[in-house]
Amino acid sequence: MTRLSVNINKVALLRNSRGANFPDLIKTAIDCEEFGAQGITVHPRPDQRHVKYTDIPALKEVVTTEFNIEGYPSEAFIDLVIQNKPDQCTLVPDLPGALTSDNGWDTIAHQKFLKTTVSRLQDAGIRVSLFIDPIEDRLYAAKETGTDRIEFYTGPYAHLYTQEKAQAISAFMAAAYVCNDIGLGINAGHDLNLDNLKFFKSHIPQLLEVSIGHALIVDALYLGLKNTIQLYLKALS
Ligand code: PXP
């Protein structure tokens, strides 16, 4: 089974644009789960334009499926994660002010830092995943950090998929083979949508989880949140 984790950052962005608690982020998380989501993902960024640090404890209380907090491992972020103990923490190399995550870790250059960070989180009982591009050397280096999983950065896949599907998936298939071989669990995310998700899943059968935000929330504007979540689940089935 591939778990669908709904990234609710864009719901927080909408709420923050007016200053009041509308839409209610906590209710959205509960509703997503009721509509079939198998996880909730948040990405608290340093400028807190999306999910805020103060949202995390309330989310932790209501999420009953799988709670995934992703972000750049600053000391403030690590403290937040350790205090709130999500099921999973996905470490992302996005700098403060980044519009969105647009590359994976260079696990060779940052191996020492990642190794220390991974074990701090694991010592707190939190599963760790590293956001990464499908590059063989970096997968081996990721394994050395002790991480439980990797999350493939699928932005380039989504971009190329519209022109050349087979080419778009090939690096990910090769990388998934390596992950299986060395014992790294596979998650994926970024720019996945109702057009490209089924093809990705069908070529990466070992896929444990996808986290999807932007396209899913945009689809929900037209199709409704319940219907949309059902359609994404169908694409993964
Ligand atoms: N994974 C990571 C690490 C991300 O930073 C994001 C965006 O916040 C996503 C997945 C989800 O990407 P999208 O919003 O394009 O579905």
Side-chain angles (χ1 to χ4, degrees):
M1 172 190 136
T2 303
R3 209 175 252 274
L4 171 67
S5 186
V6 175
N7 179 324
I8 56 173
N9 258 29
K10 289 287 150 76
V11 177
L13 184 74
L14 192 59
R15 176 200 61 186
N16 299 348
S17 70
R18 281 294 178 96
N21 189 31
F22 181 63
D24 181 336
L25 189 72
I26 305 305
K27 181 175 182 320
T28 306
I30 295 169
D31 288 344
C32 285
E33 291 189 317
E34 199 186 312
F35 299 155
Q38 296 131 335
I40 298 294
T41 291
V42 292
H43 191 142
R45 289 200 156 84
D47 62 8
Q48 309 213 33
R49 68 185 188 276
H50 297 129
V51 166
K52 295 176 187 288
Y53 275 35
T54 49
D55 289 321
I56 304 297
L59 285 167
K60 165 70 185 178
E61 267 198 29
V62 298
V63 173
T64 58
T65 52
E66 186 208 82
F67 191 29
N68 175 42
I69 306 181
E70 59 183 37
Y72 181 81
S74 62
E75 274 307 309
F77 176 86
I78 294 171
D79 284 350
L80 177 81
V81 172
I82 289 178
Q83 274 164 25
N84 289 281
K85 294 205 188 329
D87 302 283
Q88 177 176 270
C89 178
T90 303
L91 302 178
V92 184
D94 58 346
L95 295 169
L99 184 62
T100 185
S101 323
D102 57 5
N103 60 278
W105 284 103
D106 179 341
T107 49
I108 299 164
H110 300 286
Q111 193 173 65
K112 202 165 156 223
F113 170 66
L114 288 171
K115 200 169 185 168
T116 310
T117 308
V118 167
S119 64
R120 284 176 73 186
L121 294 165
Q122 287 173 337
D123 287 349
I126 300 161
R127 187 175 74 225
V128 182
S129 180
L130 297 183
F131 195 55
I132 196 168
D133 296 288
I135 300 171
E136 194 173 324
D137 289 354
R138 292 189 183 180
L139 294 169
Y140 288 115
K143 180 69 184 173
E144 291 294 308
T145 68
T147 192
D148 304 282
R149 295 188 186 183
I150 52 86
E151 178 183 326
F152 284 138
Y153 167 47
T154 47
Y157 161 76
H159 185 69
L160 199 53
Y161 177 85
T162 55
Q163 299 143 40
E164 183 44 71
K165 295 186 176 62
Q167 204 185 325
I169 197 70
S170 66
F172 292 89
M173 289 172 69
Y177 184 85
V178 173
C179 289
N180 266 0
D181 199 37
I182 61 179
L184 281 175
I186 303 173
N187 296 342
H190 223 285
D191 300 307
L192 293 173
N193 59 38
L194 282 177
D195 289 330
N196 61 35
L197 182 59
K198 196 179 170 77
F199 188 80
F200 191 85
K201 155 78 186 179
S202 66
H203 287 81
I204 314 284
Q206 317 87 338
L207 189 59
L208 295 171
E209 180 177 309
V210 288
S211 65
I212 307 183
H214 189 76
L216 190 150
I217 300 301
V218 172
D219 288 334
L221 290 176
Y222 288 90
L223 307 170
L225 189 55
K226 183 175 186 177
N227 200 14
T228 300
I229 289 176
Q230 293 298 315
L231 289 169
Y232 276 83
L233 289 171
K234 194 160 170 243
L236 288 170
S237 68

